Each structure stands twice: as C-alpha cells, then as structure tokens.
Amino acid sequence: MKSGSRLEKILAAGHFAVTGELGPPRGADVEVIKKKAEHLRGVVDSINVTDNQTSVVRMCSMAVCKILIDLGLEPNLQMTCRDRNRIAIQSDLLGSYALGIRNVLCLSGDHNKFGDHPQAKNVFDVDSMQLIQIVKKMRDEGKLLNGQECEGKASFFIGAAVNPFGDPFDFRPIRLAKKIAAGVDFVQTQCIYNMEKFREYMKRVVDMGLAEKCYILAGITPLKSLGMARYMAKSVPGLDVPDYYLKRLQGVPKDKQAEEGIKMAVEQVQEIREIPGVAGIHLMAIEWEHRAKEIIEAAGLLPRPEVN
Amino acid sequence: MVVAERKPIQEIMAMVAEYNKILLVGCKGCVTVCCAGGTKEVGILASALRIARKKEGKPLEIVERTLERQCDPEYIEQASDVIEKDGVEAILSMACSVGPQYMAKRYNIPVYPALNTTFIGGALEHGVWAEFCQACGNCIIHYFGGICPVSRCSKSLFNGPCGGSAKGKCEISPEVDCAWQLIYDRMKDLGKLDELAKVFPVKDWSTSRDGGPRKVVREDMKL
C-alpha cells in the first residue's frame, strides 16, 4: 500500500471502483457541502473535491476535503498548477496530508480566462506532469523538490486526469505513459460520450501495457437535458459528444430528458465495464450529486465493497 | 522585436490634458517596425491631438521628434535641445516602455507613455504580429521542434497538450493555435516524436522575471 486510502484498497483488491465528485460552494456555507456529501455516502468509494473548477473562485479544496473526512467520507484532493507555484503546492500537499487527505489528483487547471477573475495573474510554474513528480518525490523519497528531507513523509495515492478525446489523438496514450513514468497511480478520464473513440484509446493503452501500470477510471457525466448536451458538444474544448446523443434527447419531451440522460449514463457505465483495462468509473454528476445514487445503483455497482 | 500598440486616443488626451506644450517623441527601433511609434505614427498622433485640443478650445503645441532609439542614453541626449530650451512642459513617448523610463531618468519633467508594450513577437503577415517569446532567459525551444511552449502554450506546459486541445486549437480561443499540436506535428515531421515521450523536468525560472530584474554585463564591450 502506498497511501492506505480506501480508493487504493478498493483498486488493489481488484474491485471495480466508483469515485464521485463534489464541487465546493461559491461561498463559506458548510451546509451546502454537508448536503451534497450525504448524497454520495455509501455510493462512491472516494469523492473528488474540485479546485476552483473552470477558474471560478470557490471554497478551497483542502478545507472541503477536511470537512468530508470529519463526516467520515474519503476525499480526493484536486490540485491545479494554475494558482500555485512550487512553494505553495508543496506546502498545501504537506498540510493536506497532515489533515488526513490521502488521495491527490494532479491537474494543470482550466485557464483563468474562463473564470470569474479573467484578469488574474496565473502561475503555471510547474505542469501537471511535474506536479506528479513532486508528489512522488515527497512520498517515495520523503524529499521536497529541492532535495531537502521532509519531517515525516506525505504518502499520497497519486492521481491525474487524462483526456482520450483531446488532440492530437495519437499523442494521448503517450501522454498517459509519461504520467505513469512521472509516478501516477491512477487516472480519471474526461467525460466519455464517444464510446468508439474511447475503445480505440483503451486498446492502444492496453497494447502499450499501460493499464497494468496504472488504474484507469472512466469519466461519466450524465446529460441532464438537450441544452446541456448541445453545450457540451459545442462549447467544451476537448469533449466529443456524438450526434447520436443529441438526436436521442431531441426525441424526448423536455420533462423526460433528465430521466433519459440518466438512462444513457447507466448504459455508458455498462458498456465501459466491458472494456478491457478499465478499473472503475469516475462519476462527475455536475450539481447533480443527489442523482448519483440512482445511476450507480442502476448500473449494478451498489452496495460498494467493504475494505479494511 | 518588441511589439507595441498605441494607447486609445482618449487615454492619451487625458494624460496631456493639463499641458500647453509637449514633446512627442518616437523611436526608430522596434516600434517603427511594428508601425506603432515611428516618425509616421508620431505625425499621425500629433495631428490627432492638435485637432482634438483645438476643438476643445485649448490648443496644444507639439514638438515632434523621432530618436534613433530610446533605449540608449546617447540617443536620449539628442532630445535635450528641445526639452531644455523650448519650454516643453511634458514628454509623450512613443517608444516601448523602456523609452519613457529612459526619458524620465534623464529629464526632470513629466513623461507619459503613448504606447502599450505588448510582447516579444514577430510579424505573421502585414499588420499582424504574434507573441513568440517571454524572455525566460534560458531558451529551450530546441527540445520542442523550435516552438516555444513557455510563450505559445497558454499554460506554459512542457509535457504535452492539456485536455482542452481540440482540432489544433487552444482551449482559450479558436483563434489561438495549440502550441502542442504544432510541436507534435513538427517533431513528427522531424522523426523525433520519441523525444516527446520523455518527461521534461521542472524549469528553473530564476533566469526569468522570477529572479528579479535582470541585467546583462558584457565585460568585453565595456569602455
């Protein structure tokens, strides 16, 4: 065991893992977190806490992770390179570990141009690959980036994100190989809609022997409506939503589109379970935490296994 | 070269509102090449300011000059005849921001920048300039097919494209090329794709602005 986190134990035991996501509030209200968290209790093995996603200021990921720990839930701290230099990153990592956080997801971060403070000075001192190296060095060598010994190791389960649909497609498996070389233990993918392309990606990844070196969790985001599907298809760079889903939602009355979206998500989970090399799913039910349970349940993934 | 562009006329008007006589001084260096602050642009801005001030009923006298460069003390000196004898109340510089700083260091009257210094770049076509360098002080473009990830990737990534790269474009805008698509294509053409499979370690930014204001000393050039 590298970290002893629940997520690591689930994966190491060969169970099909289920992770969820919780977006912190745009404010200081703890109740919002508690409410969202309860919807995920017993439903997922670990909860990603996003780090100012889409560059919008929200309650900090580390604080929300600690609140989840106090609620008896396991968090996965998302950490972006956008807002921190290597000094802040290492400091936040040490602090996170001290608070009981065991899973870290290393991300570049969305560009600040998209967010609520587009005038911000961004950082990008290190990139996500280098962030993985920093966490690994801290864990395996007990050292900071500068070679200095840490007083106490921060033993994290190291995660990262991969996008099988970003261009250039041929480079994507190579980029995963680089993340593995840098020290990643698990990855969560961008939301998958184009199953054919994902299969092709996974085939290459498995052929390269990468699925044996790192746990791959497939990203699922239920489409709540035709409007959301159109937005995801047109306006989210690097996302591939085939026309099939748009047409399918078009044929459904507006008040039934949410149910159809859930049905589609369940189908996606079932398809993904059949793809070699996939170790679990990462359910990103954006502001739909209350519907996570029905998706996971309908996909036959409840109850979650017990691990010690 | 340093690329600059003129500030909006309203902003410049506000800067010189209280003066009756100014020196409008251009530069024959980079800002002439990028058509922002050469002799021609000095003439255009001077005319625009004169007309606008005349309309306001408060004429502005403008002495026009274009120096060889504004980033060298010896050329700055060449404006002394006008500034010290001609009753000039303020200086409006059309150089990159080095120019107004040098003018301010030499002359004890207010200095205003008429340009915004935008970036170190090159011309893509007539009238179009783009950023190619952030002057990080330790060039590494040879590892990336001759394309700079520091300045041309919006997130300065060293290890491949982020998840937002789509159809060769950057996630921040369809107008911006994804530097990593360019790097990938170029390395593929060169038969060097395997070099991109290596993990590029953290960069030492101390040669960049992060090390504080920089200085180059060439002992062999000193008099």
Side-chain angles (χ1 to χ4, degrees), chain A:
Chain A
M1 279 291 126
K2 289 168 175 169
S3 71
S5 76
R6 176 183 164 81
L7 179 60
E8 185 181 6
K9 285 177 186 165
I10 291 270
L11 288 163
H15 297 300
F16 192 80
V18 178
T19 55
E21 195 157 285
L22 189 153
R26 285 165 109 163
D29 191 352
V30 181
E31 292 311 312
V32 178
I33 303 158
K34 288 183 176 168
K35 209 171 154 190
K36 283 184 173 183
E38 286 313 317
H39 293 301
L40 297 170
R41 190 185 290 279
V43 174
V44 299
D45 303 314
S46 179
I47 303 168
N48 276 35
V49 181
T50 49
D51 178 13
N52 298 307
Q53 73 266 32
T54 61
S55 307
V56 169
V57 173
R58 292 171 185 275
M59 192 188 288
C60 92
S61 183
M62 195 201 294
V64 177
C65 284
K66 169 65 173 152
I67 293 166
L68 293 186
I69 290 170
D70 291 347
L71 292 170
L73 297 163
E74 177 167 295
N76 179 10
L77 178 94
Q78 290 197 188
M79 182 173 286
T80 67
C81 303
R82 177 193 58 229
D83 309 322
R84 303 169 180 84
N85 67 4
R86 63 193 74 182
I87 300 170
I89 281 175
Q90 294 180 97
S91 163
D92 283 357
L93 285 169
L94 294 172
S96 299
Y97 191 80
L99 291 175
I101 295 163
R102 295 293 177 264
N103 306 307
V104 172
L105 198 79
C106 304
L107 305 166
S108 302
D110 295 316
H111 196 274
N112 59 302
K113 194 182 169 171
F114 296 110
D116 59 352
H117 290 68
Q119 305 86 353
K121 186 173 181 177
N122 60 34
V123 185
F124 296 118
D125 174 19
V126 303
D127 66 20
S128 59
M129 202 79 65
Q130 296 158 349
L131 172 54
I132 293 167
Q133 289 181 313
I134 289 172
V135 189
K136 186 177 163 65
K137 189 165 184 158
M138 210 171 242
R139 180 188 70 194
D140 296 351
E141 298 172 41
K143 284 179 181 167
L144 298 179
L145 184 62
N146 65 356
Q148 203 178 329
E149 299 268 344
C150 296
E151 293 172 50
K153 279 188 184 180
S155 300
F156 287 111
F157 194 43
I158 308 170
V162 294
N163 184 2
F165 309 104
D167 291 319
F169 179 70
D170 288 340
F171 191 66
R172 293 294 160 177
I174 301 171
R175 190 156 150 84
L176 172 59
K178 286 181 74 157
K179 288 195 174 176
I180 291 168
V184 87
D185 301 309
F186 72 99
V187 294
Q188 295 167 324
T189 79
Q190 173 64 288
C191 326
I192 297 159
Y193 299 104
N194 187 338
M195 207 55 77
E196 205 177 317
K197 203 165 180 184
F198 182 60
R199 274 201 195 92
E200 171 61 25
Y201 173 81
M202 283 307 299
K203 188 182 177 303
R204 294 190 193 190
V205 163
V206 169
D207 288 349
M208 286 167 76
L210 302 178
E212 296 152 29
K213 294 177 186 163
C214 150
Y215 301 107
I216 299 165
L217 277 58
I220 300 285
T221 292
L223 296 166
K224 301 178 197 176
S225 63
L226 180 60
M228 178 182 175
R230 280 188 178 140
Y231 174 78
M232 299 288 259
K234 273 190 191 161
S235 308
V236 183
L239 209 65
D240 188 339
V241 186
D243 284 345
Y244 159 76
Y245 287 109
L246 299 176
K247 281 182 190 150
R248 188 165 156 186
L249 283 169
Q250 253 165 2
V252 177
K254 218 169 177 180
D255 61 334
K256 296 271 190 291
Q257 284 175 2
E259 300 315 312
E260 192 67 15
I262 287 190
K263 221 168 118 186
M264 294 190 308
V266 173
E267 288 168 16
Q268 286 164 352
V269 176
Q270 284 160 346
E271 275 190 69
I272 280 165
R273 287 184 76 176
E274 304 301 318
I275 299 175
V278 177
I281 56 156
H282 175 52
L283 182 67
M284 294 167 273
I286 308 160
E287 295 304 315
W288 238 22
E289 287 86 353
H290 60 288
R291 307 208 70 166
K293 190 177 180 183
E294 30 186 322
I295 297 169
I296 307 293
E297 196 156 40
L301 291 167
L302 285 185
R304 299 305 308 142
E306 288 302 322
V307 283
N308 285 308

Side-chain angles (χ1 to χ4, degrees), chain B residues 7-152:
Chain B
K7 283 178 176 287
I9 191 83
Q10 290 79 4
E11 193 182 338
I12 299 171
M13 287 285 290
M15 285 173 172
V16 298
E18 63 182 288
Y19 306 112
N20 299 309
K21 184 170 184 178
I22 63 164
L23 167 68
L24 179 57
V25 61
C27 176
K28 289 182 186 170
C30 308
V31 294
T32 291
V33 184
C34 69
C35 306
T39 307
K40 191 177 147 197
E41 290 77 28
V42 165
I44 294 168
L45 178 59
S47 299
L49 289 173
R50 281 191 198 104
I51 293 165
R53 284 286 290 266
K54 203 172 170 188
K55 232 170 134 184
E56 285 179 1
K58 195 188 171 196
L60 177 66
E61 201 181 322
I62 303 175
V63 181
E64 298 175 37
R65 270 288 179 92
T66 307
L67 303 182
E68 204 60 34
R69 281 195 296 280
Q70 287 192 36
C71 53
D72 264 321
E74 61 183 290
Y75 296 118
I76 295 292
E77 199 55 44
Q78 289 175 358
S80 62
D81 57 329
V82 190
I83 295 165
E84 284 160 2
K85 292 170 199 147
D86 239 7
V88 167
E89 300 162 50
I91 299 164
L92 183 58
S93 168
M94 291 195 86
C96 76
S97 84
V98 180
Q101 293 188 57
Y102 261 60
M103 296 298 278
K105 191 179 167 201
R106 168 65 182 83
Y107 302 108
N108 198 25
I109 55 172
V111 180
Y112 297 90
L115 303 187
N116 291 322
T117 308
T118 42
F119 48 75
I120 299 173
L124 298 181
E125 56 181 282
H126 263 288
V128 181
W129 294 269
E131 183 166 20
F132 282 82
C133 174
Q134 278 188 9
C136 72
N138 182 13
C139 196
I140 47 166
I141 61 169
H142 51 298
Y143 295 117
F144 306 104
I147 293 151
C148 173
V150 177
S151 59
R152 298 180 69 188

